[in-house]
Amino acid sequence: MEKMAFYLMGGAFLVPGNVTPEAEANFYADPIAADSVLEKEKNIYLFPLTSVA
């Protein structure tokens, strides 16, 4: 079986967020869902807000 990978954009590390000074929109809108995905899934590649700037 082929392994799946998840690529997520979320979080603001070492920079201001885009919703509040600390928060990025995707994680701010549904922090429970973000936590659930990060806790349960494997092979997650998390890209912070600065990766698209």
Side-chain angles (χ1 to χ4, degrees):
M1 182 174 195
E2 187 176 326
K3 289 185 179 182
M4 292 184 68
F6 295 90
Y7 298 86
L8 305 174
M9 197 289 286
F13 305 104
L14 305 175
V15 297
N18 60 358
V19 174
T20 73
E22 294 84 24
E24 183 276 325
N26 293 309
F27 284 12
Y28 182 80
D30 197 345
I32 295 170
D35 182 60
S36 178
V37 170
L38 293 173
E39 287 290 324
K40 294 177 182 172
E41 296 298 331
K42 303 215 183 309
N43 297 325
I44 293 179
Y45 298 91
L46 180 61
F47 295 92
L49 183 62
T50 55
S51 65
V52 296

